[in-house]
Amino acid sequence: MARHQQNTKGIATKHQVAIEQHTVVDDSLLPPAEELLKLKEIDPNIINWMLSRAEKEQDSRLSFNTERIKLAKSEHGLVKLSLILAFVLAISGMILSAVFIYFGKEITGTIFGGASMIMCIQSFLKFGRKEKQ
């Protein structure tokens, strides 16, 4: 939280006129001291009220950031869990394919193994695309 100033100047030519712009952004929770003195003349209790409001605002900003961090951590855990489940599904598909082949169902086992490999490759490719975006 600070005070940021931005100055933009331009140039005037025969056919164009440029504009000078001065922007001040103050994201402080409290107004400047001069303004506080003027407000205190109106109401002596306003300083305490403004301090309590500034504390509440700061607490809400901090809690908002904490919630965003928690959300990012939970999303990261969900991504890990989905990768683990995709891997387990791929391995179980391969094992089931081997069981089919072992019991003499070569065509069924081959189709099942190929389908599980394609599913595994597709899931990992889709995962990679979503992460890059």
Side-chain angles (χ1 to χ4, degrees), residues 36-52:
L36 285 174
L37 287 173
K38 290 177 186 176
L39 290 171
K40 189 174 181 181
E41 290 176 6
I42 297 171
D43 185 6
N45 297 326
I46 194 130
I47 303 294
N48 293 330
W49 180 81
M50 290 180 85
L51 288 174
S52 69

Side-chain angles (χ1 to χ4, degrees), residues 17 23 26 38-39 51 63 67 81 87 99 103 113 116 122 130:
V17 177
T23 306
D26 188 7
K38 290 177 186 176
L39 290 171
L51 288 174
S63 68
E67 291 299 320
L81 181 64
F87 181 74
V99 169
F103 286 118
S116 63
Q122 280 295 98
K130 286 181 184 175

Side-chain angles (χ1 to χ4, degrees), residues 86-87 89-98 109-124:
F87 181 74
L89 280 174
I91 294 299
S92 61
M94 291 296 168
I95 291 172
L96 195 57
S97 172
T110 305
I111 292 172
F112 204 85
S116 63
M117 278 299 274
I118 290 172
M119 180 192 70
C120 178
I121 291 170
Q122 280 295 98
S123 66
F124 284 116

